[in-house]
């Protein structure tokens, strides 16, 4: 049995279904991310694990104990909130010590523990500051240390970085993941930011309208999305409508243009399917390069994003996104120019 | 326009008239309380004396009524806080949909005219289980009732200024129950509101006259009843009482604010580090 088991939980708020039949397992020491747009039920799911909401149906098992209806203060689950939720009347030090004082632990132990945590989050120099004297990033680090101080069985994070600047977000993202690995703490992380989920988690649970769309490693979620929703939500996407012509060879037809894809059991004769193709998998070709599925299109937009250059290319009544790395030696095609590109067969992923 | 240290003359004038308007009556009362002979047409008294004060402080009756007023107002405030603080917290935290209803109910004693309130209180408290009409206890119940609305509004406003629900959840996730959370997190964060509510209620109750008069008449004199009687007999004594009342309220405010600051600790300003 897994360490944390969420077993077909559902939650309704006055006739609005917030969470419907959600099931997933987290192994001990793993980092799992609940990913989805706002209102998809990810936060409600997290709050049910924390004990702030009671599921209408289903069970939550932690370490082989049913904790479904246990009050939040009896669960030993640490939580980090989007709004930090530091106690304004307490200093950084006292905020971290709070849970230990509630447990009436010996003063010496508390001091050692809090000092080591302050050291871990590199904020010893501001330990006597009140929350209002700390920056957002510092506040969230203190909140993290406060949740870790009680040595929780599970650490829950509810969009902890969404109130921070982009730069600090990336720094803290790495810090959190590093701490989590170091302390081997089982973590559930809620976010609507796909980059955050993909870069941090061992396992990603993509949710939509209260239900789970797909569970998988970041690699699986990104490269083999099971549904159009997942494909669209995670990363940029070109979506093509294709008619299967040859099941053995994997030939499909997009607006009468034949394209070769990888044969699979999903491709049944004459069926119409949605195919996705990631912009970075489409390859821009030089004048005389020859590849499978080579086409020509007109560049209608060039978006320069530093390390990556994104082209919007008109082809076969579709507007395709094509990404390429910014290599300073190559000539960047300009708007209005015609370019040659290829869609490798393995880049075309059929969606159910 | 001419400016003195960045403030225009017009602003100074407005401020001057406003302060004069507020202070003049108080000043007049203070002067009258130490005046000896003050003839018609004299801008200021011809001679001064402290005999009105000495007379007042020699009067045991008066001292008892001052003590009584302070005592009953103090007890009412304390009981009011004990009732309102947990109620406002629970409503704000768990029963937010009930908030308008609670506000409506707490307004009841506020909107009822004193006479109706007094009659109702006498009716309820003249038979068992609370046969306390005519005793000082009925005043206590009346005072608690009339101070609830104001206390509730001030305290529920302070609760609105902090994120009660999330702070409670944070505290719970760290292992604290409702009681620990209430005393360690909620109360310290709304202390200014509690002080405000207490002081204003206390001052208001010290100055209450209608209910005392209707519920107890002359049986238990409070400061206000004494003041009222004095006003009809001896103007100087009334001025003395007003000054005493004024000083009492100021001292109480000062002491409470100092004590509470000592408890919650003054937050030192430290520049934010990035």
């Amino acid at each position: 049995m897994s360490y944390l088991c969420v077993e077909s939980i559902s939650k309704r708020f006055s006739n609005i279904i917030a969470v419907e039949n959600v099931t997933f397992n987290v192994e001990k020491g793993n980092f799992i991310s609940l990913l989805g747009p706002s209102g998809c039920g990810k936060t409600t799911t997290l709050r049910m694990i924390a004990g702030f909401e009671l599921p209408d149906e289903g069970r939550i098992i932690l370490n082989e104990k049913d904790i479904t209806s246990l009050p939040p203060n009896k669960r030993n689950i640490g939580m980090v909130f989007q709004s930090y939720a530091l106690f304004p009347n307490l200093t950084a030090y006292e905020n971290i010590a709070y849970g230990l004082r509630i447990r009436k632990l010996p003063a010496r132990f508390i001091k050692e523990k809090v000092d080591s945590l302050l050291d871990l989050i590199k904020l010893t120099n501001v330990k006597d500051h009140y929350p209002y004297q700390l920056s957002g990033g510092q506040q969230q680090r203190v909140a993290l240390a406060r949740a870790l101080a009680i040595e929780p069985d599970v650490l829950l994070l509810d969009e902890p970085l969404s109130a921070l600047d982009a730069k600090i977000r990336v720094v803290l993202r790495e810090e959190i993941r590093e701490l989590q690995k170091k302390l081997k703490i089982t973590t559930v992380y809620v976010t609507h930011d796909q980059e955050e989920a993909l870069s941090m988690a061992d396992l990603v649970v993509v949710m939509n309208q209260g239900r789970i769309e797909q569970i998988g490693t970041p690699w699986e979620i990104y490269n083999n999305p099971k549904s159009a929703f997942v494909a669209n939500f995670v990363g940029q996407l070109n979506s093509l409508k294709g008619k299967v012509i040859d099941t053995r060879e994997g030939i499909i037809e997009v607006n009468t243009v034949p394209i070769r894809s990888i044969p699979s059991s999903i491709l049944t004769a004459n069926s119409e399917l949605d195919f996705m193709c990631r912009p970075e998998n489409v390859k821009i070709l030089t004048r005389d390069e020859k590849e499978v599925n080579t086409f020509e299109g007109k560049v209608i937009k060039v978006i320069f994003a530093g390390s990556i250059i994104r082209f919007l290319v008109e082809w076969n009544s579709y507007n395709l996104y094509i990404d390429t790395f910014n290599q300073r030696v190559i000539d960047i095609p300009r708007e209005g120019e015609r370019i040659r590109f290829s869609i490798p067969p393995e880049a075309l992923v059929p969606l159910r | 326009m001419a400016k003195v240290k960045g403030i225009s003359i017009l602003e100074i004038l407005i401020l001057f008239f406003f302060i004069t308007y507020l202070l003049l009556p108080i000043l007049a009362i203070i002067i009258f309380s130490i005046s000896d002979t003050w003839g018609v047409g004299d801008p200021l008294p011809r001679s001064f004396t402290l005999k009105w004060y000495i007379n007042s402080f020699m009067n045991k009756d008066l001292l008892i009524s001052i003590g009584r007023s302070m005592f009953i107002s103090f007890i009412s405030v304390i009981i009011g806080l004990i009732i309102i603080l947990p109620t406002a917290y629970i409503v704000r935290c768990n029963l937010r949909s009930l908030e308008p209803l609670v506000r409506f109910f707490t307004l009841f004693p506020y909107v009822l005219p004193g006479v109706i309130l007094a009659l109702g209180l006498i009716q309820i408290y003249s038979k068992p289980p609370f046969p306390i009409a005519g005793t000082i206890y009925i005043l206590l119940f009346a005072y608690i009732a009339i101070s609830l609305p104001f206390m509730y509004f001030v305290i529920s406003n302070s609760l609105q200024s902090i994120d009660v629900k999330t702070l409670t959840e944070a505290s719970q996730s760290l292992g604290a129950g409702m009681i620990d959370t209430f005393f360690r997190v909620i109360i310290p964060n709304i202390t200014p509101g509690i002080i405000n509510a207490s002081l204003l209620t206390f001052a208001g109750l010290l100055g209450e006259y209608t209910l005392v008069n209707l519920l107890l008449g002359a049986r238990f004199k409070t400061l206000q009843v004494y003041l009222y009687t004095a006003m009809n007999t001896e103007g100087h004594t009334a001025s003395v009482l007003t000054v005493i009342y004024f000083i009492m309220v100021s001292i109480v405010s000062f002491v409470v604010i100092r004590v509470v600051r000592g408890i919650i600790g003054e937050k030192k300003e430290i520049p934010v580090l990035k």
Side-chain angles (χ1 to χ4, degrees):
Chain A
M1 193 179 211
S2 295
Y3 186 64
L4 172 68
C5 305
V6 174
E7 295 182 359
S8 37
I9 52 168
S10 297
K11 179 74 186 173
R12 247 166 245 107
F13 292 113
S14 55
N15 292 333
I16 298 164
I17 299 168
V19 172
E20 196 179 3
N21 200 16
V22 161
T23 301
F24 60 86
N25 297 321
V26 190
E27 300 304 328
K28 197 173 169 115
N30 264 15
F31 190 120
I32 187 170
S33 174
L34 304 183
L35 173 68
S38 57
C40 73
K42 56 190 191 301
T43 294
T44 307
T45 306
L46 193 79
R47 291 174 59 80
M48 286 192 275
I49 301 174
F52 300 135
E53 307 285 353
L54 206 64
D56 297 329
E57 287 156 42
R59 302 191 303 165
I60 297 165
I61 314 284
L62 177 60
N63 206 2
E64 298 182 356
K65 261 194 315 212
D66 187 339
I67 58 161
T68 315
S69 47
L70 207 64
N73 55 329
K74 302 269 184 272
R75 293 190 181 202
N76 200 37
I77 287 180
M79 175 113 174
V80 175
F81 298 83
Q82 181 180 355
S83 57
Y84 323 134
L86 291 180
F87 306 127
N89 58 312
L90 301 179
T91 59
Y93 182 95
E94 282 304 322
N95 262 287
I96 299 172
Y98 184 86
L100 306 172
R101 296 209 192 281
I102 292 291
R103 284 166 171 72
K104 301 202 165 58
L105 294 169
R108 260 221 357 243
F109 175 83
I110 294 179
K111 189 172 179 330
E112 271 170 29
K113 182 90 196 165
V114 176
D115 281 340
S116 78
L117 279 165
L118 278 164
D119 192 41
L120 203 62
I121 58 166
K122 301 177 201 89
L123 285 182
T124 307
N125 57 332
V126 292
K127 64 178 180 155
D128 293 325
H129 287 200
Y130 286 92
Y132 74 95
Q133 297 165 323
L134 301 172
S135 70
Q138 289 175 327
Q139 287 191 51
Q140 199 54 297
R141 280 203 205 104
V142 173
L144 184 67
R146 181 178 70 174
L148 290 174
I150 58 170
E151 294 181 5
D153 297 331
V154 179
L155 177 66
L156 307 177
L157 301 109
D158 184 11
E159 309 226 10
L161 306 180
S162 50
L164 299 169
D165 298 341
K167 263 247 164 71
I168 299 169
R169 212 152 52 201
V170 175
V171 173
L172 255 155
R173 180 159 100 192
E174 280 159 22
E175 276 182 32
I176 290 174
R177 178 60 166 156
E178 231 168 83
L179 266 176
Q180 185 270 335
K181 276 185 169 161
K182 197 163 159 186
L183 305 172
K184 296 189 180 64
I185 184 162
T186 314
T187 303
V188 182
Y189 188 106
V190 160
T191 181
H192 65 264
D193 183 336
Q194 41 116 357
E195 210 180 295
E196 240 170 69
L198 295 180
S199 64
M200 297 173 89
D202 295 313
L203 214 58
V204 179
V205 177
V206 184
M207 291 184 70
N208 182 31
Q209 296 185 335
R211 266 175 266 168
I212 292 181
E213 289 275 341
Q214 188 175 354
I215 303 180
T217 62
W219 198 91
E220 285 168 351
I221 296 285
Y222 189 80
N223 290 317
N224 292 314
K226 292 260 175 62
S227 67
F229 174 82
V230 177
N232 262 306
F233 190 74
V234 182
Q236 189 72 40
L237 178 81
N238 295 307
S239 178
L240 305 172
K241 243 188 189 14
K243 191 176 172 196
V244 181
I245 301 296
D246 185 336
T247 51
R248 261 231 336 256
E249 296 286 315
I251 308 284
I252 59 164
E253 217 177 57
V254 176
N255 285 346
T256 71
V257 177
I259 306 181
R260 183 179 290 272
S261 75
I262 305 284
S264 84
S265 56
I266 307 170
L267 306 183
T268 50
N270 287 320
S271 59
E272 291 228 4
L273 280 172
D274 278 325
F275 289 82
M276 77 145 208
C277 168
R278 297 281 183 207
E280 68 273 21
N281 292 340
V282 184
K283 197 174 159 202
I284 293 179
L285 302 176
T286 54
R287 201 163 292 277
D288 20 76
E289 260 180 296
K290 193 88 181 107
E291 299 263 357
V292 193
N293 297 339
T294 297
F295 306 106
E296 206 180 275
K298 188 178 149 195
V299 177
I300 42 179
K301 211 185 215 173
V302 180
I303 304 156
F304 182 69
S307 59
I308 280 173
I309 304 162
R310 171 163 294 169
F311 301 97
L312 191 60
V313 176
E314 198 178 70
W315 167 76
N316 191 9
S317 80
Y318 279 97
N319 285 335
L320 292 184
Y321 282 110
I322 304 176
D323 284 359
T324 180
F325 279 119
N326 174 16
Q327 287 154 316
R328 297 177 65 188
V329 284
I330 62 161
D331 265 345
I332 298 172
R334 287 165 211 276
E335 286 174 19
E337 274 179 36
R338 295 192 71 81
I339 56 165
R340 294 172 68 242
F341 62 91
S342 94
I343 304 174
E346 65 276 10
L348 278 173
V349 181
L351 300 172
R352 261 175 279 231
Chain B
M1 187 177 282
K3 294 214 168 191
V4 183
K5 279 186 186 168
I7 310 168
S8 73
I9 302 284
L10 181 69
E11 284 166 340
I12 291 174
L13 273 178
I14 291 173
L15 207 63
F16 175 76
F17 280 117
F18 182 68
I19 290 173
T20 314
Y21 178 78
L22 286 179
L23 287 185
L24 213 53
I26 296 172
L27 207 64
I29 289 169
I30 293 173
I31 293 172
F32 190 59
S33 73
I34 52 170
S35 69
D36 194 8
T37 43
W38 198 347
V40 180
D42 293 339
L44 281 171
R46 283 196 200 129
S47 59
F48 294 94
T49 175
L50 280 177
K51 71 177 175 200
W52 311 114
Y53 281 89
I54 294 162
N55 283 352
S56 298
F57 283 114
M58 300 290 272
N59 187 339
K60 210 173 130 205
D61 240 20
L62 170 65
L63 295 181
I64 289 174
S65 39
I66 290 176
R68 189 179 280 144
S69 273
M70 297 212 29
F71 178 73
I72 200 148
S73 306
F74 180 73
I75 296 290
S76 306
V77 167
I78 296 298
I79 297 178
L81 284 179
I82 293 172
I83 297 172
I84 286 299
L85 279 173
T87 312
Y89 171 49
I90 290 165
V91 168
R92 184 83 203 148
C93 195
N94 294 333
L95 307 164
R96 208 170 285 189
S97 54
L98 286 185
E99 206 160 30
L101 194 72
V102 175
R103 275 182 184 249
F104 178 71
F105 275 123
T106 47
L107 266 180
F108 258 38
Y110 209 55
V111 293
L112 290 179
V115 181
I116 293 178
L117 192 62
L119 281 177
L121 285 165
I122 289 171
Q123 279 211 335
I124 285 186
Y125 291 123
S126 37
K127 40 187 184 269
F130 297 111
I132 53 172
T135 70
I136 195 156
Y137 300 109
I138 193 172
L139 195 60
L140 194 63
F141 278 76
Y143 274 8
I144 293 166
I146 59 165
S147 53
L148 288 188
F150 182 73
M151 284 189 135
Y152 180 81
F153 280 106
V154 177
I155 284 166
S156 104
N157 281 344
S158 330
L159 284 171
Q160 271 173 35
S161 69
I162 58 172
D163 189 350
V164 175
K165 202 168 157 64
T166 313
L167 287 179
T168 302
E169 287 177 354
S171 171
Q172 283 178 319
S173 75
L174 294 164
M178 278 303 241
I179 293 172
D180 263 330
T181 305
F182 181 65
F183 284 108
R184 285 171 185 251
V185 176
I186 303 302
I187 296 277
N189 281 310
I190 57 163
T191 313
I194 297 173
I195 298 172
N196 267 341
S198 308
L199 283 182
L200 290 171
T201 309
F202 182 78
L205 291 180
L206 268 189
E208 207 286 326
Y209 171 72
T210 327
L211 278 176
V212 191
N213 195 34
L214 288 170
L215 289 173
L216 295 173
R219 249 168 300 182
F220 286 97
K221 274 191 186 149
T222 61
L223 179 59
Q224 289 302 317
V225 176
Y226 208 98
L227 178 62
Y228 191 77
T229 326
M231 255 159 54
N232 294 332
T233 51
E234 173 56 80
H236 287 286
T237 313
S239 301
V240 170
L241 291 180
T242 311
V243 173
I244 292 173
Y245 171 70
F246 194 71
I247 293 170
M248 261 165 53
V249 173
S250 308
I251 291 176
V252 170
S253 312
F254 183 74
V255 169
V256 170
I257 289 170
R258 285 318 290 250
V259 167
V260 169
R261 262 208 199 141
I263 294 169
I264 60 172
E266 270 175 273
K267 288 178 184 169
K268 284 177 228 99
E269 282 296 329
I270 307 170
V272 177
L273 296 176
K274 289 283 173 204

